[in-house]
């Protein structure tokens, strides 16, 4: 699956509220996966952004959260999930927090088509792919 963004973020544990540094990877399919380190061997967790995310907050929108020692509140990022839970993260800088927010919101709203329909196959709109306005593959020449 295609990678959208990756990098180190601090993640606040849900029970003890301790900060732990994880390697995060956001994939095009909307999976936000976090690992023990950048080798990506030991997965610590996954958030299905496309289906679970309700909102993303940054900086002072992250109320009642204390950033890790030495970090500014402007570096905070909270992913609010549909079930009411939250995942609180802290980026290395305010710019990085904003970049993560934008990437997560884009992954949330971008439709994913894993496989384009075969040419000539009916689409969900009743049109054949590549004919009359259905899905066309930009790398395939359009029939005349």
């Amino acid at each position: 699956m295609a990678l959208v963004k990756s990098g180190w973020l601090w993640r606040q544990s849900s029970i003890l509220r301790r900060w732990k540094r994880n390697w995060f990877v956001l994939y095009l399919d909307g999976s936000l996966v976090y690992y023990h380190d950048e080798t990506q061997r030991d997965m610590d967790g996954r958030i299905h952004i496309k289906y679970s995310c309700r909102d993303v907050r940054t900086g002072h929108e992250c109320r009642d959260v204390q950033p890790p020692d030495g970090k500014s509140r402007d570096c905070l990022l909270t992913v609010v999930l549909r079930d009411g839970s939250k995942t609180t993260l802290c980026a290395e800088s305010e710019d990085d927090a904003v970049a993560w927010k934008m990437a997560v919101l884009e992954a949330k709203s971008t439709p994913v088509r894993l496989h384009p329909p075969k040419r000539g196959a009916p689409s969900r709109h009743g049109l054949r792919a590549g004919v009359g306005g259905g899905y066309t593959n930009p790398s395939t020449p359009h029939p005349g």
Side-chain angles (χ1 to χ4, degrees), residues 70-119:
K71 296 291 177 192
S72 162
R73 177 171 293 283
D74 295 328
C75 299
L76 291 174
L77 180 78
T78 299
V79 179
V80 182
L81 304 178
R82 293 189 191 283
D83 67 4
S85 66
K86 299 174 186 173
T87 299
T88 304
L89 307 170
C90 186
E92 294 299 318
S93 68
E94 180 181 359
D95 287 346
D96 198 31
V98 171
W100 273 103
K101 178 179 181 174
M102 290 170 51
V104 167
L105 289 175
E106 186 172 333
K108 178 183 183 302
S109 64
T110 303
V112 172
R113 174 173 274 167
L114 298 177
H115 302 287
K118 294 183 175 138
R119 273 186 93 63

